[in-house]
Amino acid sequence: MRHWALTAAALGTGILLAGCTAPPPAPPSSTSPAPASSAPVPSGPPASPPPTSAQSSEPTRTAAGTIGGEPRPVATDLQTPWSVVFRDGTPLVSERNSGRILELAADGSSRSIGTVDGVADRGEAGLLGLAVGSGGDLFVYSTAEDGNRVQRFPISGEAGSLALEQPETILDGIPAASTHDGGRIAFGPDGMLYVTAGDAQQRDSAQDRDSLAGKILRMTPEGDVPADNPFPGSLTYSYGHRNPQGLAWADDGTMFATEFGQNTWDELNIITAGANYGWPTVEGIAGREGFVDPVQQWQTSAASPSGMAHAGGTLFIANLRGQVLRSVPVSDPTTSTEHYSREYGRIRDVALAPDGHLWFLTNNTDGRGDPEPGDDRILAVPLVE
């Protein structure tokens, strides 16, 4: 039976998490270091440009990179949550099946700020990723009847009474299916919006640069093709992906992505502009000319890596089937450490809160988990140097 911490919730910038020190972490995984790929790596945009107005206006804090305490619940009884982001310190959560976007209060309660119209929830599809852009607009990835799309929602009101306004669709027609929909969106340090798109069960589309499926896409906040994208006139930033679902950037601008494999290897990749990551020709570390290998791989039974966050030189990766939170040092991304193995069930997303705590979101009510009373929930854990 999974272990639940039964302390009262505390949210927002006032989180104070006391308690016992966490047990020693599991030893690093036995994954072998990845051999260097023989593929040429195209150069991308500048690694660490100054922030732009397209980025969220969260307070700047120095993030620590080591888990330093016992998780505490900050929200419970969520229904198939998928993504959590912070807008001016207020947490917002997407519910995959209901199409609702929730605002979380300091007492752990939630209220809907609106429902995204036209969400077609089937299998793994539905209301997926969230990102906060300039002026507090909310960017949303969801599945409609005619494919996946990215919409931009203005938000009105103050904390406690936020509301979604009418959206603008900035990209639609991303191939959709009951599985392999990608769905993670995030603003990079260059101010561009990055979008993960799965192959939507159309394996060969991942190698077709004219298809939006099986790609990581890069666009302006208006949905236009940036002038410095690797393929002129194309939103494709990298290709050869099966089902990428996590995005994060290290302090030096290095871009990482997590990816679900098929039957053998799940992946952690360093993403560079124009690179080909091999699917469906290869899965995992292959050493094949023309393809970029992952820097780390895990057996699919031990991982299913979804959301990812960076803090203090460490990547934190949520894992569904593996039911574990992994930490990966940016200085040596071929290694990893497991935390809370099978204590909280399936973990879908992880995010750095404005006060420096790490939040992770369970996914036990998605039809593949074993929910217990209080599921699904968001838990917070302090990070230390």
Side-chain angles (χ1 to χ4, degrees):
M1 178 177 294
R2 298 192 303 274
H3 166 69
W4 302 120
L6 298 179
T7 56
L11 275 177
T13 57
I15 294 179
L16 293 174
L17 298 180
C20 301
T21 302
S29 70
S30 59
T31 306
S32 300
S37 171
S38 58
V41 179
S43 59
S48 302
T52 73
S53 60
Q55 295 173 270
S56 171
S57 56
E58 298 294 352
T60 300
R61 299 178 184 271
T62 300
T66 303
I67 289 174
E70 188 72 17
R72 301 290 185 260
V74 294
T76 59
D77 297 310
L78 303 174
Q79 295 301 310
T80 321
W82 209 93
S83 180
V84 57
V85 295
F86 296 87
R87 180 184 183 272
D88 295 331
T90 299
L92 301 177
V93 179
S94 61
E95 287 188 332
R96 187 189 71 188
N97 296 345
S98 70
R100 298 191 309 167
I101 296 175
L102 306 179
E103 173 186 2
L104 302 185
D107 62 359
S109 62
S110 63
R111 59 175 292 274
S112 174
I113 69 170
T115 300
V116 178
D117 290 337
V119 170
D121 64 297
R122 50 182 181 267
E124 298 174 2
L127 175 58
L128 304 178
L130 305 177
V132 178
S134 61
D137 287 348
L138 187 66
F139 290 73
V140 177
Y141 186 110
S142 66
T143 309
E145 290 296 340
D146 58 352
N148 292 311
R149 62 192 175 178
V150 179
Q151 295 176 292
R152 180 177 186 165
F153 287 82
I155 295 181
S156 61
E158 303 296 330
S161 61
L162 300 178
L164 290 182
E165 299 297 329
Q166 288 301 307
E168 172 191 4
T169 298
I170 65 171
L171 178 66
D172 57 12
I174 303 171
S178 59
T179 60
H180 306 183
D181 288 283
R184 194 69 57 190
I185 59 177
F187 281 98
D190 55 4
M192 297 295 114
L193 182 64
Y194 291 78
V195 176
T196 71
D199 70 5
Q201 304 176 18
Q202 303 170 28
R203 294 162 56 105
D204 292 341
S205 65
Q207 290 295 320
D208 179 1
R209 294 207 306 259
D210 292 331
S211 170
L212 295 177
K215 309 294 187 297
I216 294 178
L217 309 172
R218 178 176 182 260
M219 65 195 71
T220 70
E222 293 74 35
D224 297 326
V225 177
D228 59 350
N229 265 13
F231 308 110
S234 173
L235 293 174
T236 295
Y237 189 73
S238 63
Y239 63 108
H241 298 288
R242 181 178 180 270
N243 191 20
Q245 280 195 9
L247 291 173
W249 286 262
D251 291 335
D252 64 359
T254 300
M255 180 180 176
F256 292 86
T258 60
E259 183 163 339
F260 289 70
Q262 181 167 304
N263 298 316
T264 309
W265 298 114
D266 292 332
E267 301 178 355
L268 174 65
N269 288 295
I270 291 178
I271 302 300
T272 55
N276 183 347
Y277 291 83
W279 178 256
T281 306
V282 298
E283 178 182 355
I285 297 169
R288 290 275 298 272
E289 184 177 358
F291 302 129
V292 176
D293 281 335
V295 292
Q296 188 168 175
Q297 63 185 18
W298 303 276
Q299 292 182 340
T300 55
S301 61
S304 298
S306 187
M308 177 168 53
H310 171 265
T314 300
L315 300 169
F316 295 95
I317 302 173
N319 291 267
L320 291 159
R321 189 175 175 190
Q323 300 185 25
V324 67
L325 179 68
R326 279 193 174 89
S327 59
V328 175
V330 170
S331 61
D332 185 3
T334 68
T335 65
S336 62
T337 301
E338 295 185 356
H339 309 272
Y340 318 122
S341 178
R342 301 196 176 275
E343 290 187 43
Y344 300 105
R346 293 162 59 81
I347 303 177
R348 170 67 72 179
D349 196 17
V350 59
L352 185 65
D355 68 347
H357 285 73
L358 190 74
W359 286 25
F360 59 97
L361 181 157
T362 70
N363 229 179
N364 297 311
T365 61
D366 68 349
R368 295 186 175 182
D370 182 20
E372 294 192 357
D375 275 335
D376 269 314
R377 63 192 68 212
I378 296 174
L379 299 110
V381 64
L383 297 178
V384 298
E385 294 292 348

